[in-house]
Amino acid sequence: EYQWKGPFYFIQGADPQFGLMKAWTHGDTNNGDDEWGEEIKLAEQAVQAVNKLNPKPKFFVLCGDLVHGMPGTRWKKSQEQDLKNVLKNTDQDIPLVFVSGNHDIGNTPSRETIDDYCQNWGDDYFSFWVGGVFFLVLNSQLYFDSSKCPELRQAQDAWLNEQLAVAAKQKCKHIIVFQHIPLFLSQPDEDDDYFNLEKSVRQEIMEKFHKAGIRAVFSGHYHRNAGGSYKGLEMVVSSAIGCQLGQDTHGLRVVVVTEEKVVHRYYSLTDLGSHGIEKELLDMLAIQK
């Protein structure tokens, strides 16, 4: 779909993270994740809300931390199977796009943990086109700590440069990036934190994205809504479908892409499920050129 065909929208979710809610309440985030019934219900609610939407979204992207169990931990496989069982009920006409998070491949990923993720969920980085818009899915763990697999970080960097060169030639309407860890939470020059990328790495990526004309980066990881901008590049941090670490509600983000801009709004699962998308955004979709 290299050609622009008019406005469309997609749904972004993040961090269903089966198992975190119990682990968090019990103060044992390393192995307190032996129950995830609450997250199953929330993920089901998310799928039902997405299925009801009319018109249908072009795709539904999950920006990482699909489950809480780290690679090799006791409950990971059961958590993944339960999430797959819920996601199988997504409308067949709405493709699912998966982004790897730190819990999916480990804080310090290795070739083995990444291979395991790829066998389960698909590639850890890839690109796709929808209606003249170019989307890039990145493995942000390789930017966070690639010490166990430096060659994979180099491979992603080389691939990304090639993809941005392709995008420049194709004259796409917009370029949009999905990754788990935000570049930054509110300010491009904020201090390093567990929830953002290290300053020197961040600066290099932001500059590369800015030069390539990337419009927006969507991520999760923070379990709260946040964001900011850098030279016209918008950083959008979406709160979780699962466990909330701030004041936001369990929710999903609706992202409308028009010829000129990318507009988005975060909805609670309850609101999206019962009222759908508000008129203001639907009107933007109706303006067919």
Side-chain angles (χ1 to χ4, degrees):
E1 292 200 348
Y2 294 124
Q3 303 306 315
W4 176 252
K5 299 192 180 78
F8 64 88
Y9 81 102
F10 63 86
I11 300 292
Q12 183 221 2
D15 304 271
Q17 206 159 343
F18 283 20
L20 176 59
M21 288 170 94
K22 182 179 177 199
W24 188 257
T25 25
H26 285 243
D28 180 4
T29 49
N30 290 332
N31 45 26
D33 59 335
D34 59 345
E35 287 174 23
W36 49 90
E38 197 62 38
E39 285 99 336
I40 288 177
K41 285 193 196 119
L42 290 162
E44 285 171 345
Q45 198 183 346
V47 166
Q48 285 157 9
V50 170
N51 285 348
K52 273 189 188 166
L53 295 171
N54 186 19
K56 289 186 203 310
K58 285 285 186 181
F59 59 88
F60 177 18
V61 57
L62 282 169
C63 281
D65 281 3
L66 306 172
V67 301
H68 183 64
M70 286 279 186
T73 55
R74 187 173 172 191
W75 306 108
K76 187 176 182 69
K77 288 279 171 254
S78 310
Q79 290 168 354
E80 288 182 332
Q81 192 51 56
D82 283 351
L83 178 59
K84 286 180 182 180
N85 291 342
V86 173
L87 294 174
K88 276 176 192 158
N89 297 316
T90 309
D91 185 315
Q92 294 297 300
D93 295 330
I94 304 171
L96 285 164
V97 177
F98 297 107
V99 181
S100 62
N102 57 306
H103 282 262
D104 305 311
I105 57 177
N107 285 321
T108 307
S110 65
R111 187 175 276 281
E112 291 70 37
T113 64
I114 292 175
D115 282 351
D116 186 62
Y117 170 86
C118 293
Q119 280 164 12
N120 257 301
W121 302 103
D123 292 342
D124 59 323
Y125 57 89
F126 55 96
S127 63
F128 60 98
W129 288 84
V130 174
V133 177
F134 191 47
F135 292 93
L136 291 160
V137 170
L138 297 178
N139 178 345
S140 55
Q141 259 357 86
L142 294 174
Y143 295 130
F144 187 80
D145 183 357
S146 62
S147 56
K148 283 188 186 167
C149 52
E151 73 289 356
L152 297 184
R153 157 90 190 258
Q154 287 159 355
Q156 176 171 261
D157 284 344
W159 171 86
L160 179 58
N161 291 338
E162 282 165 19
Q163 295 293 306
L164 294 175
V166 167
K169 281 201 196 80
Q170 286 286 357
K171 305 267 189 290
C172 48
K173 278 288 173 211
H174 307 290
I175 309 173
I176 293 173
V177 170
F178 299 119
Q179 60 187 55
H180 179 61
I181 302 180
L183 297 168
F184 57 88
L185 297 172
S186 57
Q187 303 295 330
D189 59 351
E190 68 198 17
D191 290 340
D192 296 348
D193 187 305
Y194 172 74
F195 289 111
N196 62 21
L197 288 178
E198 196 242 323
K199 259 185 177 170
S200 60
V201 176
R202 180 197 317 166
Q203 188 55 44
E204 193 185 320
I205 297 170
M206 290 191 307
E207 209 33 52
K208 179 184 281 193
F209 285 4
H210 162 65
K211 286 200 175 104
I214 289 171
R215 177 58 66 105
V217 176
F218 288 88
S219 69
H221 190 49
Y222 192 44
H223 294 255
R224 284 154 282 211
N225 287 311
S229 64
Y230 171 82
K231 297 185 180 176
L233 165 74
E234 191 181 6
M235 182 65 243
V236 185
V237 184
S238 291
S239 197
I241 292 170
C243 188
Q244 299 300 314
L245 302 183
Q247 302 307 307
D248 295 296
T249 53
H250 307 281
L252 293 167
R253 193 172 291 278
V254 172
V255 186
V256 175
V257 183
T258 72
E259 204 160 1
E260 287 77 39
K261 54 193 179 191
V262 177
V263 181
H264 52 86
R265 202 153 292 164
Y266 186 83
Y267 287 83
S268 75
L269 296 179
T270 313
D271 273 2
L272 192 62
S274 51
H275 306 301
I277 302 171
E278 64 215 272
K279 186 175 185 310
E280 187 190 340
L281 293 185
L282 287 172
D283 287 348
M284 294 174 84
L285 292 171
I287 311 165
Q288 294 292 348
K289 287 280 184 290

